[in-house]
């Protein structure tokens, strides 16, 4: 059977070390999108690595300049097999966060893939080079097993996701005909746990907001002026303390939903959050009271203070600082309007006696809007049934990821149903030293992506659907 043959080929590709070599080659590209000196690596990753790989699989590829300076480039690829076949658009990002050399355990080189026990360490192994390498390897296995995919396939790879996906919206708007598809299915973010395959259908939105006080020009001696001059740091701390209670429950109504819908609550009832060795200990009393842990992170909003400064923290002096600043963030779900955040906070601060606190959207940070596909959508049912057939157990279904992805661009700009099949897990240390990909998880993910199934319950517009992300097959 072609399904078993594709899976067997995928396993051989993994077990003979070819997959490791492919990932090692990709990890070696220093694609730090936050570092201007890395621009040549951003282009090299697309032109010398991913582009040639897709070309070998029969894709026509093109590298696009970013219309928003100084964003990274994009690559699009298309493989057309038939006008009557459905089209799948998938996505990945080849850029990574800073390598943080010198901070990894045992002084590991973040740009060299290293096997340590049952884990593979290196920058990008989890986010996102390892994930799209799995999907590329699955495509290769399917093509070798049966000579064709049985569907039309398109790729979009960006090189600036870690700096806010600047230019992605414009590229998608400009290239709508090129990116036209029936469904978007891709891999990023973590599973619910390392052991349980997961499907998520959107993401929480993310909005960064700055709050600050400019009290006066220059600092003044705290001995001569202490008790006479207002302290912007003290005022800002008190202002921030009114936005949530002492346990993180949001007190500004516009920054939170009215309720969790019954469909979301039902989906999350099957999703249990558990910690693994090395994970931080969960504070069960933190956040909105009365919600399960899963509901707090996947069904509700969170307000965070990411950074604060006043004075010169690295070298304090005996002076009342003239300014205090904080970068805050709202992670929000569908039904909460981010356009209302700044006005709502302005009204809230004025009401509580803090007119001196200024508030504005953080400069340079694009809002990622919240999205969520209906769990009853046909593509969701198909994906879930396919994963269950391959693994023998149903995957976890998350209405949305707890983090944020530019999913609103695919859902709203391109108008596609979006299904994500992640190949990482919460303890992967993405964005930190010691980022890694568990060997067992990667092998299972490759099996999932290389399997297929015949659907007998989908309507005619989906008549050529088969398994998971890339492995579609005619009825």
């Amino acid at each position: 059977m072609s399904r078993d043959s594709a899976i067997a080929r995928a396993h051989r590709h993994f077990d003979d070390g070819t997959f490791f070599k492919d990932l090692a080659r990709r990890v070696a590209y220093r694609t730090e999108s936050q570092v201007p000196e890395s621009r040549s690596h951003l282009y090299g990753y697309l032109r010398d690595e991913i582009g040639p790989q897709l070309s070998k699989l029969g894709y026509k590829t093109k590298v696009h300049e970013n219309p928003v300076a100084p964003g990274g480039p994009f690559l699009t690829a298309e493989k057309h097999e038939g006008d009557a076949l459905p089209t799948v658009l998938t996505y990945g990002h080849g850029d990574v966060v800073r390598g943080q050399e010198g901070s990894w355990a045992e002084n590991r080189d973040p740009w060299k893939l290293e096997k340590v026990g049952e884990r593979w360490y290196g920058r990008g192994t989890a986010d996102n080079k390892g994930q799209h390498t799995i999907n590329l390897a699955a495509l290769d296995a399917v093509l070798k097993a049966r000579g064709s995919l049985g569907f039309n396939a398109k790729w979009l790879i960006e090189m600036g996701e870690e700096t806010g996906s600047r230019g992605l919206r414009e590229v998608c708007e400009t290239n709508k005909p090129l990116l036209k598809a029936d469904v978007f299915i891709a891999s990023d973010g973590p599973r619910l746990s390392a052991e349980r395959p997961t499907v998520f259908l959107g993401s929480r939105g993310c909005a960064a907001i700055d709050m600050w006080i400019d009290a006066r020009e220059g600092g003044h001696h705290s001995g001569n002026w202490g008790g006479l001059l207002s302290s912007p740091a003290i005022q800002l701390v008190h202002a921030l303390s009114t936005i949530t209670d002492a346990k993180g429950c949001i007190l500004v109504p516009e920054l939170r939903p009215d309720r969790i819908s019954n469909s979301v609550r039902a989906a999350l009832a099957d999703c249990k959050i558990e910690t693994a060795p090395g994970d931080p200990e969960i504070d069960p009393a933190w956040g909105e009271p009365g919600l399960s842990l899963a509901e707090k992170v996947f069904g509700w909003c969170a307000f965070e203070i990411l950074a604060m400064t006043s004075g010169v923290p690295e070298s304090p002096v005996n002076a009342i600082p003239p300014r205090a600043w904080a970068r805050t963030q709202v992670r929000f779900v569908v039904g909460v309007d981010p356009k209302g955040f700044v006005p709502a906070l302005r009204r809230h601060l004025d009401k509580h006696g803090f007119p001196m606190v200024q508030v504005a959207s953080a400069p340079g940070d694009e809002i990622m809007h919240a999205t969520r596909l209906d769990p009853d959508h046909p593509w969701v049912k198909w994906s879930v049934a396919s994963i269950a057939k391959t693994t023998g157990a149903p995957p976890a279904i998350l209405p949305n990821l707890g983090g944020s992805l530019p999913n609103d661009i695919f859902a709203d700009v391109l108008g596609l149903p979006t299904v994500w099949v992640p190949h990482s897990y919460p303890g992967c240390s993405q964005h930190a030293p010691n980022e890694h990909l568990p060997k067992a998880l990667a092998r299972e993910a490759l099996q999932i992506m290389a399997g297929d199934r015949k659907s007998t319950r989908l309507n005619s517009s989906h008549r050529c659907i088969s398994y998971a992300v890339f492995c579609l097959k005619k009825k």
Side-chain angles (χ1 to χ4, degrees), residues 302-335:
F303 177 84
E304 304 292 348
I305 300 173
L306 304 182
M308 297 178 66
T309 59
S310 187
V312 186
E314 63 274 16
S315 182
V317 296
N318 294 321
I320 302 168
R323 187 174 196 269
W325 167 90
R327 168 66 54 84
T328 72
Q329 182 189 75
V330 183
R331 296 278 185 175
F332 60 96
V333 295
V334 168

Side-chain angles (χ1 to χ4, degrees), residues 45-57 61 75:
Y45 189 78
L46 297 182
R47 289 175 174 163
D48 303 331
E49 180 59 40
I50 300 301
Q53 172 66 25
L54 285 166
S55 295
K56 289 179 183 178
L57 298 178
T61 68
L75 180 142

Side-chain angles (χ1 to χ4, degrees), residues 169-458:
R169 183 177 301 275
E170 290 79 0
V171 165
C172 287
E173 288 175 340
T174 301
N175 294 279
K176 280 185 179 181
L178 177 63
L179 299 172
K180 183 179 179 181
D182 295 294
V183 65
F184 172 94
I185 311 179
S187 302
D188 201 354
R191 295 177 169 189
L192 185 64
S193 68
E195 296 76 23
R196 190 174 185 191
T198 300
V199 170
F200 63 85
L201 311 177
S203 65
R204 281 202 292 187
C206 182
I209 300 168
D210 283 350
M211 299 186 195
W212 71 98
I213 298 174
D214 286 316
R216 59 188 65 86
E217 290 289 334
H220 294 272
H221 194 282
S222 59
N224 297 333
W225 296 96
L228 299 176
L229 299 181
S230 64
S231 166
I234 291 175
Q235 289 176 317
L236 184 59
V237 167
H238 279 276
L240 289 168
S241 73
T242 69
I243 298 172
T244 75
D245 68 12
K247 294 185 177 180
C249 176
I250 297 173
L251 301 177
V252 182
E254 293 88 345
L255 272 59
R256 49 186 276 172
D258 294 329
R259 63 184 183 87
I260 298 177
S261 69
N262 291 335
S263 62
V264 170
R265 196 177 294 274
L268 294 177
D270 184 47
C271 299
K272 184 178 181 180
I273 295 181
E274 298 177 326
T275 56
D279 288 347
E281 183 178 350
I282 291 174
D283 299 314
W286 186 260
E288 184 71 16
L291 301 184
S292 69
L293 298 181
E295 289 169 345
K296 288 180 180 181
V297 73
F298 301 120
W300 206 252
C301 299
F303 177 84
E304 304 292 348
I305 300 173
L306 304 182
M308 297 178 66
T309 59
S310 187
V312 186
E314 63 274 16
S315 182
V317 296
N318 294 321
I320 302 168
R323 187 174 196 269
W325 167 90
R327 168 66 54 84
T328 72
Q329 182 189 75
V330 183
R331 296 278 185 175
F332 60 96
V333 295
V334 168
V336 179
D337 182 7
K339 293 180 181 178
F341 290 168
V342 170
L345 286 168
R346 177 73 276 154
R347 292 191 298 270
H348 174 86
L349 292 169
D350 289 344
K351 178 181 177 180
H352 285 78
F354 296 103
M356 74 292 293
V357 178
Q358 300 184 63
V359 56
S361 296
D365 269 52
E366 181 178 344
I367 292 176
M368 288 188 177
H369 293 270
T371 55
R372 181 185 291 154
L373 183 64
D374 190 330
D376 289 330
H377 193 281
W379 280 105
V380 179
K381 291 185 175 181
W382 163 74
S383 301
V384 169
S386 298
I387 294 174
K389 182 176 179 67
T390 298
T391 63
I397 304 174
L398 301 179
N400 50 259
L401 183 68
S404 299
L405 292 166
N407 194 63
D408 61 299
I409 297 174
F410 310 121
D412 299 334
V413 174
L414 297 181
L416 298 177
T418 58
V419 179
W420 295 79
V421 184
H423 307 323
S424 182
Y425 81 112
C428 67
S429 297
Q430 70 178 88
H431 292 196
N434 307 314
E435 180 180 351
H436 62 274
L437 178 66
K439 179 180 176 181
L441 190 158
R443 193 175 191 273
E444 181 186 56
L446 187 53
Q447 172 182 317
I448 286 173
M449 304 307 278
D452 68 13
R453 67 181 286 269
K454 268 191 181 180
S455 172
T456 59
R457 291 176 289 183
L458 291 171

